[in-house]
Amino acid sequence: MFYKLFIFVFCIFTTSGSSVQYEKQTQNLRTFPDDFFFGTATSSYQIEGAWNEGGKGWSMWDQLVRTDPGHIRDGTNGDVAANSYHFYKKDVELLKELGVSVYRFSIAWPRILPYGRPDYVNPEGVAYYNNLINELLANDITPFVTIYHWELPQNLNEQGGWLTSEIADWFGDYARVLFANFGDRVKHWITINEPHIHCSFGYGTGSHAPRIKSPGIGYYECGRNIILAHAKAWHIYDKEFRATQGGVIGITLDSTMAMPGSNSPDDIQGAADYMTFYLGQYADPLFSATGNYPQRMIDLVAEASRRQGLNESRLKPFTQEEAKNNIGTSDFFGLNHYSSTYVYRNSSVTGIYEAPSLNDDLQVGTFPDPNWYKNPTAWVYRYGQGLRKLLVHIKDTYNNPTIYITENGFSTATGRNDTDRADYYREYLNGVLDAIDDGVNVKGYCAWSLIDNFEWSFGYSVRFGLYEIDQDDPEKIRKPKYSALVYKEIVRTRTVDPSYNPDLATDASVDIKSSFLFVLAVAVLNIIW
Ligand SMILES: *[C@@H]1O[C@H](CO)[C@@H](O)[C@H](O)[C@H]1NC(C)=O
Ligand SMILES: *[C@@H]1O[C@H](CO)[C@@H](O)[C@H](O)[C@H]1NC(C)=O
Ligand SMILES: *[C@@H]1O[C@H](CO)[C@@H](O)[C@H](O)[C@H]1NC(C)=O
């Protein structure tokens, strides 16, 4: 009997032992403030699957992967992805395991409004997001809901999509349906994810849906309509819902951090212009006192347009009325950030870009620091101080807004021993701690991403997950990577300990449920014997 008791005690000990010993090492580390939250992020098309189930309509991504499958690097699509439509409870279990308090996910517009317009609201779509939201709340996890993460209903795409000004009304009507159905429980709304990437890939280079190649005209029209659509949704929330629901609503902008490649005045001006075009185009209308594009950008595009013999600028500034309507329409600054770059401007970039285009209007070249690490299979250069500099840039340029980092992460190939991703999270979170010391009002952080997912035109060939998913596995089992164990410890201790080195092979949390069941089985056997 004694040896059975011994096994029982031993099992309990080995499942909880590792963190006890580690506690001692964290004493002199900086701590994240109490009001700073940790979370993770995903988006609907990248994880949900169930592309034609539950009454969902087609999005422009469904259209792209059906009509042009060869465009995706590995020939895959988001038809099944992580199957979160069916396995959302598994996702919530992971969030629980990580100990995070926030989950940022997005709602698929065509799952709620299959044809884009609110004359038909799909009850199965509403039920799915109700289930997810309720499951999160039952587990004390706050939902941060992105209203639009690039899944435009194909029906609206065919009517002009983001190139028509009517889309502000379409988007506002869609947002109203979400506020009315979910706003009693959702208190954090993000209108639109990454306008810069969406417009430049979708309507500039054409590498994303809807694959329109118009880098000097369509790109700017998309950006303009996105700002107007965002402002419309904000005003709808503010007028019709805020008093009763009491939430906040903002936008998520993405930016690389640009630094001058040398001390030459041209490089310094080039790096400043890079930030103006990348971030200022979207941030100034919402966060500056003018409600319009940066004057420098208005001037540069107008000048290039004149040179090109056009009678008006390809960047159409907002009217006085529109600008007034833009000002102050983001309750927080949502920021997605991945990487940094050096910028130069000299005669070697003159006339090298196709015209008209954003790149030709901007006229700079870029290069990474040779010391920045990058996983050989992907594109994200690791430079944690870049995030710090970007946060300080936002504080200084936009009057110290409340900032939520809504995405930050690192790309690798498959494999769970992702020590380079863990180092990325450590380095960037140290950058966030530095920024807090610098007086930046940054209040939260969402790691991109919770699970491996469909990485747009790269398919599944590039991975961002804290949890690995084998795409061939119909059950889509989620397995923690080394980085998940490191992030979990950061969340638990609210510090970044460089020496924490969990053992991926034996860590108890890898399969906490089966070891718990084992303990239970031994206990039951003890009783039976
Ligand atoms: C510019 O020219 C186009 C056609 O060439 C015309 O439709 C437009 O009204 C002109 N704009 C201005 C501001 O003159
Ligand atoms: C322009 O700057 C880049 C980056 O510093 C450099 O590699 C290139 O040689 C320069 N070209 C000229 C013409 O000065
Ligand atoms: C994981 O990779 C690191 C180097 O990045 C290596 O030192 C370690 O032994 C690997 N662990 C496993 C379990 O393979």
Side-chain angles (χ1 to χ4, degrees):
M1 196 70 190
F2 255 65
Y3 77 97
K4 289 176 212 154
L5 186 66
F6 174 76
I7 292 173
F8 180 66
V9 170
F10 178 77
C11 289
I12 291 176
F13 223 79
T14 50
T15 52
S16 63
S18 63
S19 56
V20 177
Q21 196 182 17
Y22 164 65
E23 202 88 56
K24 300 189 188 94
Q25 301 167 13
T26 60
Q27 280 158 5
N28 296 322
L29 299 171
R30 289 182 294 176
T31 304
F32 283 92
D34 287 344
D35 63 349
F36 186 95
F37 69 76
F38 290 99
T40 71
T42 60
S43 91
S44 39
Y45 187 66
Q46 295 177 276
I47 65 163
E48 276 180 11
W51 79 279
N52 62 354
E53 289 177 55
K56 176 178 162 292
W58 283 38
S59 78
M60 63 184 181
W61 273 93
D62 294 316
Q63 178 76 9
L64 187 162
V65 300
R66 312 231 96 61
T67 53
D68 194 4
H71 179 68
I72 309 300
R73 187 198 264 180
D74 57 3
T76 60
N77 56 50
D79 286 5
V80 180
N83 207 353
S84 289
Y85 184 72
H86 293 292
F87 296 150
Y88 67 92
K89 285 190 179 171
K90 293 189 185 190
D91 296 339
V92 179
E93 276 177 30
L94 304 183
L95 295 163
K96 228 18 210 179
E97 191 173 292
L98 287 171
V100 295
S101 61
V102 162
Y103 182 43
R104 176 183 175 226
F105 65 92
S106 76
I107 290 180
W109 188 337
R111 204 179 278 295
I112 298 292
L113 306 177
Y115 305 101
R117 304 289 290 133
D119 47 351
Y120 174 67
V121 180
N122 174 29
E124 286 177 82
V126 172
Y128 169 65
Y129 294 109
N130 272 334
N131 289 340
L132 172 58
I133 291 163
N134 293 342
E135 184 76 7
L136 289 167
L137 293 175
N139 285 283
D140 293 322
I141 296 163
T142 302
F144 266 57
V145 178
T146 311
I147 296 172
Y148 181 77
H149 200 123
W150 308 353
E151 277 173 279
L152 191 66
Q154 175 58 13
N155 183 45
L156 299 184
N157 182 38
E158 283 165 13
Q159 294 173 61
W162 287 105
L163 297 184
T164 168
S165 56
E166 280 173 86
I167 199 164
D169 286 334
W170 301 341
F171 182 73
D173 291 344
Y174 160 55
R176 182 184 285 108
V177 171
L178 301 194
F179 302 146
N181 279 280
F182 308 117
D184 57 333
R185 286 151 295 150
V186 172
K187 305 300 173 191
H188 297 84
W189 295 100
I190 294 166
T191 52
I192 294 167
N193 180 69
E194 296 188 358
H196 174 94
I197 292 290
H198 192 43
C199 293
S200 85
F201 289 7
Y203 299 85
T205 64
S207 61
H208 280 188
R211 301 213 60 202
I212 289 169
K213 195 169 181 305
S214 180
I217 297 172
Y219 168 74
Y220 291 120
E221 284 176 0
C222 170
R224 192 174 199 286
N225 291 324
I226 277 197
I227 293 294
L228 294 174
H230 159 85
K232 173 140 280 172
W234 186 91
H235 283 290
I236 287 171
Y237 189 78
D238 199 50
K239 281 197 196 72
E240 301 173 27
F241 297 93
R242 194 191 293 277
T244 51
Q245 297 186 348
V248 290
I249 175 167
I251 198 166
T252 276
L253 305 179
D254 62 292
S255 190
T256 296
M257 182 65 207
M259 296 165 290
S262 79
N263 289 330
S264 84
D266 283 345
D267 284 5
I268 291 169
Q269 184 65 56
D273 288 344
Y274 184 104
M275 294 308 291
T276 297
F277 273 65
Y278 203 127
L279 187 62
Q281 179 184 353
Y282 303 96
D284 275 43
L286 308 178
F287 296 96
S288 80
T290 67
N292 222 319
Y293 298 122
Q295 192 58 46
R296 170 81 180 159
M297 184 175 184
I298 293 174
D299 293 344
L300 283 177
V301 184
E303 200 179 295
S305 302
R306 258 196 308 278
R307 266 202 319 271
Q308 288 149 0
L310 302 171
N311 62 356
E312 55 190 347
S313 178
R314 289 174 285 99
L315 177 70
K316 191 175 153 202
F318 294 104
T319 64
Q320 238 173 7
E321 195 187 341
E322 287 168 339
K324 208 172 129 221
N325 209 47
N326 289 340
I327 296 173
T329 58
S330 193
D331 300 333
F332 54 85
F333 198 119
L335 177 68
N336 290 0
H337 172 74
Y338 288 87
S339 214
S340 293
T341 190
Y342 284 103
V343 168
Y344 64 93
R345 178 182 277 154
N346 59 30
S347 59
S348 69
V349 291
T350 312
I352 64 166
Y353 297 112
E354 79 171 292
S357 73
L358 164 73
N359 283 336
D360 183 66
D361 295 334
L362 175 56
Q363 299 262 346
V364 299
T366 62
F367 62 93
D369 187 318
N371 296 317
W372 293 341
Y373 173 81
K374 167 177 100 55
N375 184 290
T377 56
W379 64 84
V380 178
Y381 288 92
R382 189 170 72 204
Y383 178 57
Q385 285 297 299
L387 176 52
R388 176 197 195 166
K389 288 174 185 169
L390 178 58
L391 289 166
V392 170
H393 170 83
I394 292 168
K395 167 182 176 276
D396 292 347
T397 314
Y398 301 110
N399 194 26
N400 201 14
T402 297
I403 303 172
Y404 298 136
I405 297 165
T406 43
E407 282 181 30
N408 177 239
F410 190 71
S411 51
T412 63
T414 53
R416 290 170 57 209
N417 188 27
D418 59 344
T419 52
D420 51 359
R421 177 181 282 107
D423 286 344
Y424 180 97
Y425 281 125
R426 289 187 177 118
E427 208 181 300
Y428 278 69
L429 282 164
N430 271 315
V432 174
L433 283 166
D434 292 336
I436 291 171
D437 288 345
D438 294 335
V440 174
N441 201 12
V442 54
K443 294 294 181 197
Y445 178 92
C446 290
W448 181 275
S449 178
L450 177 62
I451 45 183
D452 282 344
N453 54 55
F454 179 73
E455 182 52 35
W456 310 111
S457 54
F458 292 91
Y460 302 100
S461 67
V462 168
R463 304 297 183 100
F464 278 91
L466 291 165
Y467 287 80
E468 181 173 69
I469 296 179
D470 171 4
Q471 281 308 313
D472 297 330
D473 170 17
E475 290 304 310
K476 307 287 176 186
I477 301 285
R478 285 107 161 105
K479 293 185 185 151
K481 302 181 189 179
Y482 180 87
S483 61
L485 306 179
V486 167
Y487 189 55
K488 177 182 170 176
E489 191 66 5
I490 291 171
V491 173
R492 190 184 74 82
T493 60
R494 305 184 69 80
T495 61
V496 183
D497 184 346
S499 65
Y500 181 64
N501 184 23
D503 187 342
L504 190 57
T506 61
D507 189 282
S509 70
V510 167
D511 208 350
I512 196 94
K513 275 192 202 67
S514 57
S515 58
F516 176 73
L517 285 177
F518 179 59
V519 169
L520 202 68
V522 171
V524 168
L525 283 176
N526 265 296
I527 294 163
I528 294 170
W529 287 343

